[in-house]
Amino acid sequence: MASVGGFAGAVNPKPIAEGLSGAIGAALDEVNNQLYFVDYNTGELNRLGLTPTCLDLDTVTKCTIHSVASGFSHPENVVLDVGAGIAYVTTRDPPGSGGLYRVDLGTGSKTLVTFNLGDRNFIFRSIERTTHTEPESSTRFAV
């Protein structure tokens, strides 16, 4: 039984989701209390609503998994641009070539941004700000 979650360093970590076959590449939306992750085996970008009930260590309630987008070939990583309502997903489709997709989090529609990333592609988000108190002025992604 695959699981996502638990608390680091806890004696008995509590799984917050079950039935996953290849969940990897997670990104946390702290504003909306959502955990996004890709499933390598099913080719999906999924979302968990992190409610107090499913995170309560004294309950057996699991967080509900919602499919955001599907049809990826071996997705590996995801990063979020929460303000724009977009996720970026890297894949290995076909294995060895790799692609970068932009996903609209509201509609689930995906657009290929680029391909031929090679094996073991990772994606990072860098936020530029003019001061520490100002909102994001631009976002850059590196693959």
Side-chain angles (χ1 to χ4, degrees):
M1 166 176 66
S3 66
V4 173
F7 296 93
V11 174
N12 296 310
K14 176 194 176 211
I16 60 172
E18 294 180 333
L20 305 173
S21 65
I24 59 174
L28 182 61
D29 172 357
E30 295 180 69
V31 173
N32 299 302
N33 243 12
Q34 307 283 329
L35 177 67
Y36 289 83
F37 64 93
V38 292
D39 192 306
Y40 187 85
N41 294 329
T42 65
E44 293 183 321
L45 170 62
N46 295 300
R47 178 184 77 237
L48 284 176
L50 302 175
T51 65
T53 305
C54 72
L55 296 177
D56 184 350
L57 293 175
D58 295 326
T59 69
V60 293
T61 304
K62 303 289 187 250
C63 297
T64 305
I65 301 170
H66 302 278
S67 178
V68 176
S70 60
F72 295 104
S73 178
H74 304 104
E76 289 190 324
N77 293 292
V78 59
V79 296
L80 302 173
D81 185 343
V82 176
I86 294 173
Y88 291 90
V89 174
T90 58
T91 65
R92 296 180 77 183
D93 55 337
S97 68
L100 173 66
Y101 291 84
R102 179 178 37 240
V103 179
D104 183 307
L105 295 175
T107 66
S109 66
K110 64 182 191 278
T111 306
L112 179 64
V113 175
T114 191
F115 60 97
N116 285 334
L117 300 177
D119 286 337
R120 304 256 184 244
N121 49 65
F122 299 94
I123 187 168
F124 302 93
R125 180 174 180 208
S126 172
I127 301 170
E128 291 185 6
R129 296 184 178 171
T130 52
T131 70
H132 292 290
T133 58
E134 291 184 19
E136 302 168 11
S137 58
S138 66
T139 301
R140 293 182 183 175
F141 293 92
V143 179

